[in-house]
Amino acid sequence: MASIRIPYGKQSISEEDIQAVVEVLRSDWITQGPKIEEFEKAVALFSETPYAVAVSNGTAGLHAALHAAGIQKGDEVIVPPMTFAATANAVLYCQATPVFSDVDPSTLLLDPEKAAAKITSKTKAIISVDYAGHPGFYNELRETAQKHNLTFISDACHAIGAEYNGRKVGSLADMTVFSFHPVKHITTGEGGMVVTANPERAQKMRVFRNHGITTTQRQRSEKGTWIYEMTELGFNYRITDIQSALGIKQLEHLPGWLERRREIARRYTKLFSSTEIRPLQVLDGALHAYHLYVVRLPLSKMKKKREQVFHEMRDAGIGVNVHYIPVHLHPFYKKQLGTKPGLCPEAENAYEEILSLPMYSSLKDSEVDEVVTTLVRSAV
Ligand SMILES: *Cc1c(COP(=O)(O)O)cnc(C)c1O
């Protein structure tokens, strides 16, 4: 197999970023120190939302958000199938049931009308996914959630920096979850954050990420006391100061990186406009964050299968990928929930045709051109 010269995603870490991490390593606090709060404040400011709670990864963020929403055994939570398994897994962590609801075929976002039709007396929350970095149907879903007294959680692990009608993702749902895995826009190695306008929920998540203990080690150290109270069962979902120092620096790069990702997307879209390869639609009012650049292959007009195109691209050194295998089709979900093909036809049809192309801020124009030329040649 050829080595991948152009991966589908890649982190950027500057010398200055590294220096910030080294400084923390030389300080008194390498975890539960001041950098965590500084990182939280910076992300809250960036996402135009009052409170932010940093956690060990995006999945922990989803779990914390569901916990803060009071999700428990017997509850149902509506989720789209076109996502990473973590979205639905977090619902199962709460002993609740993920209810898969189909996506809109032009954007692969959770379809708000179909989601509304899945609501039962057991439904307690909706998780929408800003697939690929396109903001979800926030207005429609918020309205539905309010009408049925549900918590509206946004899995925005793809979408830090996206906007919807001029408002930042983070400020549009009851709670919004970001991930800082290296393939996402900004990284802390592993890391995540939940932003919310609700101070009680933020406090619940702070306790939840710290074993269910109401004070931090630093607060006790400052007060000169050993006494702490565990008031509920939580988890160790803490992020470290080492990671937060990296996150603070990464966030400073984010506006420029978002601009570059949008520029790359414009270039791809323009180059594909004269071909049969169809990029996903971008809706009016949406400012896309482009975690992924996803196209649909014109399979009915092609002699080849997607799998062959995938391997030809890889053999040419281009790291294409497929996001995602619909979650309800994983063996675990089939066994656990009895889900099967036919449950979400739009997601299943899309899955046959989609391909994620390289998208990261250091991707060069000449590499974009090479990806397009190679794909067009392969997919005919
Ligand atoms: C990355 C991702 C997650 C999980 O984030 P981690 O930080 O890897 O735990 C959840 N949902 C979606 C849609 C993601 O892309």
Side-chain angles (χ1 to χ4, degrees), residues 1-8 313-320:
M1 215 182 77
S3 70
I4 299 297
R5 286 175 297 114
I6 311 175
Y8 90 87
M313 294 297 284
R314 292 244 166 174
D315 287 343
I318 299 170
V320 293

XYZ file of all heavy atoms in Angstrom, residues 1-8 313-320:
120
model
N 0.841 -1.212 0.000
C 0.000 0.000 0.000
C 0.868 1.251 0.000
O 1.863 1.308 0.719
C -0.910 -0.019 1.231
C -2.261 0.580 0.967
S -3.296 0.612 2.454
C -2.602 1.988 3.343
N 0.499 2.215 -0.805
C 1.265 3.468 -0.874
C 1.138 4.232 0.443
O 0.151 4.097 1.148
C 0.736 4.323 -2.019
N 2.159 5.024 0.741
C 2.046 5.834 1.954
C 1.181 7.059 1.647
O 1.122 7.535 0.518
C 3.424 6.255 2.439
O 3.963 7.185 1.545
N 0.494 7.531 2.679
C -0.437 8.648 2.505
C 0.353 9.958 2.560
O 0.912 10.309 3.592
C -1.532 8.595 3.594
C -2.349 7.303 3.497
C -2.443 9.826 3.516
C -3.131 7.095 2.219
N 0.399 10.672 1.449
C 1.086 11.975 1.409
C 0.147 13.080 1.872
O 0.554 14.049 2.487
C 1.545 12.300 -0.015
C 2.748 11.507 -0.503
C 3.028 11.817 -1.967
N 1.916 11.401 -2.825
C 1.141 12.213 -3.523
N 1.334 13.517 -3.519
N 0.148 11.744 -4.274
N -1.126 12.940 1.510
C -2.113 13.970 1.854
C -3.195 13.290 2.704
O -4.073 12.630 2.168
C -2.738 14.587 0.573
C -1.644 14.989 -0.426
C -3.624 15.775 0.934
C -2.177 15.498 -1.763
N -3.110 13.417 4.030
C -4.122 12.754 4.879
C -5.452 13.495 4.797
O -5.529 14.572 4.192
C -3.518 12.859 6.281
C -2.647 14.078 6.236
C -2.142 14.194 4.825
N -6.508 12.928 5.385
C -7.800 13.642 5.325
C -7.878 14.733 6.378
O -8.611 15.706 6.222
C -8.984 12.677 5.386
C -9.499 12.365 6.766
C -10.459 13.165 7.374
C -9.021 11.261 7.471
C -10.916 12.889 8.654
C -9.474 10.984 8.746
C -10.427 11.802 9.332
O -10.881 11.549 10.589
N -7.677 6.151 -4.560
C -7.231 7.416 -3.948
C -6.111 7.141 -2.950
O -5.088 7.826 -2.936
C -8.404 8.124 -3.244
C -9.494 8.617 -4.168
S -8.959 9.883 -5.331
C -8.865 11.329 -4.277
N -6.307 6.136 -2.132
C -5.277 5.776 -1.137
C -3.984 5.356 -1.822
O -2.896 5.735 -1.385
C -5.782 4.638 -0.261
C -6.920 5.084 0.626
C -6.494 4.981 2.051
N -7.412 5.688 2.924
C -7.335 5.673 4.253
N -6.392 4.995 4.845
N -8.188 6.354 4.969
N -4.107 4.589 -2.904
C -2.910 4.155 -3.641
C -2.190 5.351 -4.246
O -0.983 5.307 -4.470
C -3.290 3.151 -4.744
C -3.669 1.795 -4.158
O -3.329 1.547 -2.973
O -4.322 0.996 -4.863
N -2.937 6.422 -4.523
C -2.328 7.644 -5.063
C -1.778 8.530 -3.929
O -1.329 9.647 -4.179
C -3.343 8.410 -5.897
N -1.838 8.021 -2.699
C -1.273 8.766 -1.562
C -2.216 9.785 -0.953
O -1.804 10.651 -0.185
N -3.504 9.675 -1.304
C -4.491 10.644 -0.804
C -5.412 9.942 0.195
O -6.127 9.002 -0.149
C -5.299 11.257 -1.978
C -4.327 11.996 -2.913
C -6.395 12.185 -1.463
C -4.933 12.449 -4.216
N -5.375 10.438 1.420
C -6.082 9.779 2.526
C -7.547 10.130 2.610
O -7.957 10.831 3.518
N -8.337 9.626 1.688
C -9.782 9.849 1.789
C -10.341 8.977 2.913
O -9.685 8.064 3.395
C -10.510 9.543 0.458
C -10.102 10.548 -0.597
C -10.237 8.118 0.011
